[in-house]
Amino acid sequence: MADKKEVCLTMHQPWASLLVHGIKRIEGRSWSSSVRGRLWIHAAAKVPEPETIRELERFYTEVYAAQGIKDIKFPEFYPTSVLLGCVNVVDCVKLEELVSREELPQSIRMEALSECCWLCEEPQKLVIPFQMRGWQGVYNLEKKIASAAVGGLKAVQGPGPVKFSGLGVSSKSPGKAIKNT
């Protein structure tokens, strides 16, 4: 049986916590990815500016207001240099494709701000985040860290969870997908 690859992405705060808490549902990148399945999210060492946190919380308040959702529970803290949890990446689509899909809720299309949109579902956060060093780009998480972290995951219900496959968006991207199974 092949070893399971545990793929990780280091992100700046507050974006990392917003993704793991299910508030952010699309991770925008300038580059496409064939990663599918579980993607671990690590928070970079840089401490976020309070103004950046306020701006993003305002942005997501507007995003969810477009969906009729007014009560959003934002994270109380935005820790750095820690493994926060994971999401399930179901696809990576071009910005133009995502925003042109009128069957998608306006709130989803509002989140699409980068050339390549990684569609994320099923967020899970670590009950106790793991202190660790991250790396630039997508990288393989050490097996011992991944094994220990899996037991500490807790499913998160974001304010507006979405199943992209139910909206006819996922599983259409060209290229070979890397399944983390």
Side-chain angles (χ1 to χ4, degrees):
M1 184 174 186
D3 283 339
K4 182 177 180 178
K5 296 286 185 194
E6 296 288 351
V7 185
C8 190
L9 175 67
T10 294
M11 298 173 61
H12 288 286
Q13 287 288 30
W15 294 272
S17 285
L18 293 172
L19 187 61
V20 169
H21 281 81
I23 295 167
K24 180 175 171 56
R25 300 164 292 188
I26 297 173
E27 172 52 20
R29 295 279 148 172
S30 60
W31 41 276
S32 186
S33 175
S34 58
V35 171
R36 301 294 182 274
R38 181 165 44 209
L39 176 67
W40 290 96
I41 304 299
H42 173 265
K46 183 180 177 190
V47 175
E49 295 292 328
E51 182 57 28
T52 302
I53 294 170
R54 282 191 296 276
E55 286 175 14
L56 275 170
E57 288 181 353
R58 272 193 298 270
F59 172 74
Y60 280 99
T61 298
E62 290 175 19
V63 164
Y64 284 102
Q67 199 172 329
I69 298 170
K70 303 212 185 297
D71 188 27
I72 302 166
K73 185 169 178 4
F74 289 103
E76 292 180 37
F77 304 102
Y78 293 92
T80 58
S81 298
V82 293
L83 185 65
L84 293 170
C86 61
V87 294
N88 180 29
V89 178
V90 296
D91 207 351
C92 176
V93 298
K94 294 286 186 186
L95 171 67
E96 303 81 37
E97 177 186 348
L98 194 66
V99 298
S100 68
R101 303 295 294 266
E102 292 185 16
E103 69 273 18
L104 289 174
Q106 177 65 22
S107 62
I108 298 285
R109 290 183 280 147
M110 289 170 69
E111 280 189 70
L113 302 173
S114 297
E115 184 179 337
C116 296
C117 301
W118 300 18
L119 309 181
C120 302
E121 299 177 352
E122 303 167 11
Q124 298 179 74
K125 68 178 183 175
L126 285 168
V127 176
I128 301 172
F130 284 21
Q131 193 79 30
M132 65 171 259
R133 181 184 191 282
W135 305 96
Q136 190 171 11
V138 175
Y139 55 95
N140 289 328
L141 193 60
E142 291 179 45
K143 288 180 188 177
K144 65 181 180 181
I145 293 174
S147 294
V150 166
L153 288 171
K154 178 183 175 189
V156 175
Q157 182 72 29
V162 65
K163 284 286 188 190
F164 288 102
S165 56
L167 298 171
V169 176
S170 67
S171 303
K172 292 186 176 183
S173 293
K176 184 178 178 189
I178 300 171
K179 295 232 181 225
N180 303 335
T181 57

